Amino acid sequence: MRVQLIVGAAWRPRLDVVNPTKYGDAVVYTSEYPIFAVTVDVVCLTIRRDQLHVLLVRRGGAPYRGKFALPGGFVDVEEDLDDAARRELVEETGIDLTGLVIEQLATYGRPDRDPRQRTVSVVWLAVAPDLPETAAGSDAAEAHWVPVTEVEHRPRRLAFDHGAMLDQGLARARAKLEYTSLATAFCRPEFTIAELRRVYEVIWGSGLDPGNFHRKVTGVAGFVVPTGEQVRRGGGRPAQLYRAGPATVIQPPLLRTTFG
Amino acid sequence: MRVQLIVGAAWRPRLDVVNPTKYGDAVVYTSEYPIFAVTVDVVCLTIRRDQLHVLLVRRGGAPYRGKFALPGGFVDVEEDLDDAARRELVEETGIDLTGLVIEQLATYGRPDRDPRQRTVSVVWLAVAPDLPETAAGSDAAEAHWVPVTEVEHRPRRLAFDHGAMLDQGLARARAKLEYTSLATAFCRPEFTIAELRRVYEVIWGSGLDPGNFHRKVTGVAGFVVPTGEQVRRGGGRPAQLYRAGPATVIQPPLLRTTFG
DNA sequence: ACAAAAGTGTTTGTGTTACACCCATGT
DNA sequence: ACATGGGTGTAACACAAACACTTTTGT
């Protein structure tokens, strides 16, 4: 298959886009390769009111008008993929993840996944602490934090194949909780051990023994580092404050069995 | 940015490729979105002569002419991404992974990763049992199994960003060995416990205690199932034959610590 | 008989679980 | 004083590491 491109001034042809010719006032290049659009989508998770939430946007146009979708959009020509994910998140929801780590989840590229054109989407997983409501930017009007219980394992609830993306993101997050320090990403910069425990309890959906959890977490080198300060949050003994440590993998992992 | 496409007969325009007009005898469509090429690359691992090997192809043309690269190529317009990976592997190396599982590793898309044009590459991880030499198809003439010690952690040895892809694939394979049944994918359909142990020893680079390994592996439900048959391989007590079981995750995981 | 590989038994030590108990604050 | 949550002590238990030992073949 051969495709010919008439290209505007902003686009620089690459080496093996060959045979420039002229049709009228436009330059015509020829490419040997199929043409794709590339998008990014973001599964952005947080915990609000002791419930796991995902950031979704209501679609304004066809197809899937009125349905929820993951925030995302087209990658620019000279833009890195993770930069595109962060940019789209700000544009569509007002959430700025500068300084936070995002992780590539998978790439979805079934030929029929977008009825308009052949599109490949690189999906990213982001975890944010409990943030203020989605900033009301112009595009952000229809962005919402939705409890995952309302959309998980329901492929038809979300537009395109975003239901599968979300499920994969949730599975990844639950799994990485066991053997990485991902849980600290759900907390604010300084947190108590009990707040960290809440993260595990919410995401795994089971109660953990406070004493054992405290010992385990503080015993893993580099997982959490004490700030030396205390905090009083209502009745009970004040808790030590901690920051996320340099460790990224937890060895041995926190087990998800009974544990409490 | 606006891009206009002159498209040959094989390509079906999608909905929001709009404003078809005519230049001479060619139809011209206009797209709102940047244009990408999408490729697949495959990190295909196996064990030969007690060494971990990766399947590489010698590049015949520019850029990186003469350098080794991962097998891969352009995705067809109506082709699924994993199908493209399998097809390119057969075309370039003669290795047919029909029936075997391949796993998505990551997607590489830095704007400067291919000097010719903006290309996004979806990378796949494949694991094969010790196969016969790469079948000598026309394209397969320059395909070789290379010991990973010769190319690991040497970004400049491979073309493009394939060095990083390979390193990521090796890290993933070593990690998944601990908590999944990936090791059985390196074995032929029927294997002994000692052969399975060799897989771990070769990939982790350390000796394991035969007794403890045997107990551990046969004790995990669904990891390996005995065929009931025995096999004699030179001096020593005959070994039971096993097939890979239905289990895909190993709980609790095999640890990589001392263990022997 | 001996070497070599397969597989089992047994001891020892480490880490998790369960739960009792003390600590420090708010009401 | 009492409730509430933070944090420590400790005994019971499970499991992996180390290694001795038995089984079954080839030479």
Side-chain angles (χ1 to χ4, degrees):
Chain A
M1 200 199 81
R2 294 172 81 83
V3 176
Q4 292 183 298
L5 318 179
I6 299 186
V7 181
W11 196 74
R12 298 198 311 267
R14 308 298 180 118
L15 283 181
D16 68 353
V17 176
V18 294
N19 293 332
T21 56
K22 286 244 179 189
Y23 280 93
D25 56 350
V27 183
V28 178
Y29 301 90
T30 302
S31 169
E32 298 288 329
Y33 312 117
I35 285 176
F36 288 73
V38 174
T39 61
V40 288
D41 290 300
V42 183
V43 178
C44 183
L45 303 176
T46 197
I47 293 179
R48 297 166 69 83
R49 284 168 273 114
D50 280 353
Q51 267 197 303
L52 188 59
H53 285 65
V54 61
L55 187 55
L56 298 177
V57 294
R58 184 85 67 180
R59 283 185 62 79
Y64 299 101
R65 181 191 194 100
K67 280 218 171 189
F68 271 129
L70 297 174
F74 290 89
V75 179
D76 283 344
V77 189
E78 295 291 342
E79 185 181 37
D80 222 338
L81 300 176
D82 58 336
D83 293 335
R86 292 174 197 274
R87 174 182 54 75
E88 287 288 348
L89 204 61
V90 171
E91 288 179 9
E92 294 201 336
T93 72
I95 301 291
D96 188 347
L97 297 176
T98 304
L100 300 182
V101 177
I102 64 175
E103 171 183 326
Q104 223 189 79
L105 196 58
T107 296
Y108 285 67
R110 286 180 51 117
D112 58 353
R113 64 176 295 277
D114 188 323
R116 295 167 298 182
Q117 65 192 89
R118 182 70 199 267
T119 305
V120 161
S121 185
V122 182
V123 188
W124 296 80
L125 175 64
V127 168
D130 190 353
L131 295 168
E133 263 312 320
T134 51
S138 42
D139 286 16
E142 279 295 355
H144 300 283
W145 289 107
V146 178
V148 296
T149 51
E150 295 182 10
V151 286
E152 192 178 7
H153 303 317
R154 292 187 175 85
R156 302 305 194 64
R157 280 282 173 97
L158 301 189
F160 304 103
D161 45 7
H162 290 194
M165 295 174 181
L166 171 62
D167 291 348
Q168 189 176 0
L170 289 169
R172 172 83 66 92
R174 292 196 177 101
K176 291 203 89 169
L177 222 53
E178 283 191 60
Y179 62 95
T180 74
S181 57
L182 180 69
T184 58
F186 284 97
C187 299
R188 291 187 216 85
E190 303 201 340
F191 52 87
T192 68
I193 300 297
E195 287 167 355
L196 186 62
R197 176 162 46 85
R198 268 276 187 277
V199 172
Y200 283 89
E201 291 175 335
V202 166
I203 296 182
W204 286 347
S206 60
L208 302 179
D209 181 283
N212 291 336
F213 183 85
H214 186 280
R215 202 185 351 248
K216 173 80 191 187
V217 162
T218 54
V220 175
F223 189 5
V224 294
V225 287
T227 66
E229 291 181 68
Q230 287 192 340
V231 69
R232 282 155 302 281
R233 304 216 206 286
R237 173 173 162 182
Q240 293 286 329
L241 276 178
Y242 292 83
R243 258 192 286 272
T248 162
V249 292
I250 304 307
Q251 188 70 320
L254 283 81
L255 272 314
R256 209 195 323 196
T257 55
T258 38
F259 196 102
Chain B
M1 202 198 83
R2 294 174 79 84
V3 176
Q4 292 184 298
L5 319 178
I6 301 187
V7 180
W11 196 73
R12 298 199 308 270
R14 309 295 180 118
L15 283 182
D16 67 355
V17 176
V18 293
N19 293 332
T21 56
K22 286 245 180 189
Y23 281 91
D25 56 350
V27 183
V28 178
Y29 300 91
T30 302
S31 168
E32 298 288 329
Y33 312 117
I35 285 176
F36 287 73
V38 175
T39 61
V40 287
D41 290 301
V42 183
V43 177
C44 184
L45 303 176
T46 197
I47 293 179
R48 296 166 70 83
R49 285 169 273 115
D50 279 351
Q51 268 197 301
L52 188 59
H53 285 65
V54 61
L55 187 56
L56 297 177
V57 295
R58 183 83 69 177
R59 282 186 62 81
Y64 299 102
R65 182 192 194 98
K67 280 218 172 191
F68 271 128
L70 296 175
F74 289 89
V75 179
D76 283 344
V77 189
E78 296 291 342
E79 184 181 38
D80 221 338
L81 299 176
D82 58 335
D83 293 335
R86 292 174 196 276
R87 174 182 54 74
E88 287 288 350
L89 205 61
V90 170
E91 289 179 9
E92 294 201 336
T93 72
I95 300 291
D96 188 347
L97 296 176
T98 304
L100 300 182
V101 176
I102 65 174
E103 172 184 326
Q104 224 189 79
L105 196 58
T107 296
Y108 286 66
R110 285 180 51 116
D112 58 354
R113 63 177 295 278
D114 187 323
R116 295 166 298 182
Q117 65 191 90
R118 182 71 200 266
T119 305
V120 161
S121 185
V122 183
V123 188
W124 296 81
L125 176 63
V127 168
D130 191 353
L131 295 167
E133 265 311 320
T134 51
S138 42
D139 287 16
E142 279 295 353
H144 300 283
W145 289 108
V146 177
V148 297
T149 51
E150 296 182 9
V151 286
E152 192 178 7
H153 303 316
R154 291 187 177 84
R156 303 306 195 61
R157 281 282 174 97
L158 301 189
F160 304 104
D161 46 7
H162 290 195
M165 296 175 180
L166 171 62
D167 290 348
Q168 189 176 1
L170 290 169
R172 173 85 64 93
R174 292 196 177 102
K176 291 204 89 169
L177 221 53
E178 283 191 59
Y179 62 95
T180 73
S181 57
L182 180 69
T184 58
F186 284 96
C187 299
R188 291 186 216 86
E190 303 201 341
F191 52 88
T192 68
I193 300 297
E195 287 166 356
L196 186 63
R197 176 163 46 85
R198 268 279 187 273
V199 172
Y200 283 88
E201 291 175 335
V202 166
I203 296 183
W204 286 347
S206 59
L208 302 179
D209 181 283
N212 291 337
F213 183 85
H214 186 279
R215 203 186 350 251
K216 173 81 189 184
V217 161
T218 53
V220 175
F223 190 5
V224 293
V225 285
T227 66
E229 291 180 67
Q230 286 193 340
V231 69
R232 280 154 304 280
R233 304 217 206 283
R237 173 173 164 183
Q240 294 285 328
L241 275 178
Y242 292 83
R243 257 190 288 271
T248 161
V249 292
I250 303 309
Q251 188 71 320
L254 283 81
L255 272 315
R256 207 196 322 195
T257 55
T258 38
F259 196 104

